[in-house]
Amino acid sequence: MKSIKNLDLEQLFGESIHIKESKNIVNIGLHRHNYYEMIYYYKGEAISCINGTELYLQSGSLYLLTPTDLHHTYEKNQNNDVHFINISFTEDMIDREIVTRLQQPIHIHNLTEKFKFFPLIELLRCAKNIKEKQHLLNVLHKDEFLLLFAS
C-alpha cells in the first residue's frame, strides 16, 4: 500500500494563508493536509479524486477541501493547459461559525460569468498583512459565497 502524504501549510509556506495561481497540475499523489484548500479552475480540464469519488473539473469549477479530505488531482489530457487559483488557509484564519459550516463533504459548483471571483482573489492577494488577509478570507466565505457550499 502506498503511503499517504500529510501536508502542513505552515511548514510548506511559513504562513497561515497561501494564495497561488498555477498553470499546471503537479501530481503529488494521494494526500491530505491540516488546512483548508479552495481551488478555482478558470481554464482547462482536470480530474480530482476526493474521498474515493472522481470529479470532472473545467473552467468555472470551484471546490473546497477540508483537512479530512483524502485527494489527488491530475490533468484530464496530457497536453491540456490547466489554469487555477489555489487558496490554502488554516482553521484559525476563518470565523468559528464558518468553520462549523465548512465541515461538510466536498462541494463543487460551476460558476457563471456573473460570479465575481477574481476581484475578491485579487484583493486577497494584494493584502499587506495577515489581519487584512484574514478579514478578506472571512468576507469571501460569508453570505452569498458560502451559499455555494450549502447544497
Side-chain angles (χ1 to χ4, degrees):
M1 180 177 190
K2 289 184 177 181
S3 64
I4 297 169
K5 296 176 186 74
N6 288 299
L7 306 177
D8 183 297
L9 184 65
E10 292 182 5
Q11 286 179 347
L12 288 171
F13 301 108
E15 54 193 4
S16 298
I17 181 171
H18 183 75
I19 304 155
K20 179 181 178 185
E21 187 170 355
S22 297
K23 295 187 179 185
N24 63 355
I25 293 173
V26 176
N27 189 348
I28 61 173
L30 195 60
H31 67 283
R32 70 176 59 146
H33 29 70
N34 72 341
Y35 52 90
Y36 293 86
E37 189 173 36
M38 185 169 47
I39 304 155
Y40 175 66
Y41 285 83
Y42 60 92
K43 184 178 179 188
E45 300 172 314
I47 304 291
S48 193
C49 186
I50 304 165
N51 300 323
T53 301
E54 220 171 67
L55 300 173
Y56 170 71
L57 306 168
Q58 61 187 358
S59 180
S61 293
L62 172 73
Y63 69 100
L64 174 79
L65 296 167
T66 69
T68 60
D69 292 316
L70 191 59
H71 61 280
H72 70 94
T73 302
Y74 54 93
E75 292 180 13
K76 187 168 187 254
N77 304 308
Q78 286 191 5
N79 297 327
N80 190 19
D81 192 17
V82 179
H83 295 212
F84 59 96
I85 295 173
N86 181 299
I87 303 171
S88 302
F89 54 95
T90 57
E91 187 174 299
D92 61 328
M93 291 297 294
I94 51 177
D95 291 343
R96 194 96 214 102
E97 76 172 82
I98 296 171
V99 170
T100 302
R101 292 174 73 184
L102 293 182
Q103 296 306 313
Q104 305 296 321
I106 182 69
H107 297 279
I108 183 168
H109 295 273
N110 289 319
L111 305 177
T112 65
E113 289 180 29
K114 294 177 187 173
F115 189 75
K116 305 298 183 198
F117 192 71
F118 278 116
L120 291 171
I121 298 307
E122 256 332 284
L123 284 173
L124 193 53
R125 280 204 296 199
C126 294
K128 300 286 184 223
N129 60 54
I130 197 74
K131 286 291 184 196
E132 273 184 78
K133 289 179 182 182
Q134 186 173 19
H135 173 72
L136 288 167
L137 190 60
N138 280 298
V139 167
L140 191 63
H141 284 91
K142 284 193 190 267
D143 304 326
E144 295 84 20
F145 184 78
L146 194 54
L147 291 175
L148 288 171
F149 296 107
S151 61

